[in-house]
Amino acid sequence: MSDCLFCRIAATEIPATVVHETSRTLAFRDIAPQAPTHVLVIPRDHHLDVGSLAAADPALLAELMTAAVAVADKEALTGGYRLLTNTGDDAGQTVSHAHVHVLGGQPLGPLG
Ligand code: 5GP
Ligand code: ZN
């Protein structure tokens, strides 16, 4: 999708600081980090959100989560980390391409 921000990052049309990649996933630093480590992990293929990704390609959803854990390992988040995926308006999803936030590097506090 040429008008999708994360598809354009996956296509290297928009620069990003890549920290991990596999044949089907890409992980790069969030432009507005909410924690010392804040990485976004996306499928290279366009899927609206994790719900549609789960329905269309559950193996890819598993790869996405595996990649998120690999990012946490690479970033040495030995104190723990949070994997978060906003889905839809109530959750505040702002980019309509499925993604997992990897957050860590300090105590994150409770959700909400
Ligand atoms: P959401 O709000 O949809 O869960 O997460 C979207 C995330 O994308 C936000 O945390 C936001 O800071 C990040 N973001 C928005 N535009 C860009 C961009 O151009 N580059 C990068 N690296 N992150 C972005
Ligand atoms: Zn996309």
Side-chain angles (χ1 to χ4, degrees):
M1 282 185 52
S2 59
D3 60 342
C4 170
L5 174 64
F6 287 174
C7 282
R8 295 188 69 195
I9 287 176
T12 68
E13 292 170 14
I14 293 174
T17 304
V18 172
V19 298
H20 182 72
E21 51 186 323
T22 67
S23 61
R24 302 190 77 199
T25 71
L26 183 69
F28 51 90
R29 297 202 188 281
D30 197 291
I31 204 167
Q34 304 298 308
T37 290
H38 188 172
V39 172
L40 302 170
V41 189
I42 66 167
R44 292 183 187 274
D45 292 346
H46 182 84
H47 295 274
L48 179 66
D49 56 32
V50 287
S52 47
L53 173 57
D57 194 342
L60 181 54
L61 178 58
E63 285 187 42
L64 194 68
M65 295 304 283
T66 300
V69 171
V71 167
D73 287 345
K74 267 192 175 175
E75 295 285 310
L77 300 179
T78 53
Y81 55 90
R82 180 171 290 154
L83 304 183
L84 177 75
T85 179
N86 292 319
T87 304
D89 291 341
D90 281 359
Q93 182 178 2
T94 58
V95 178
S96 298
H97 180 128
H99 54 281
V100 176
H101 298 254
V102 182
L103 295 151
Q106 67 181 24
L108 299 167
L111 281 177

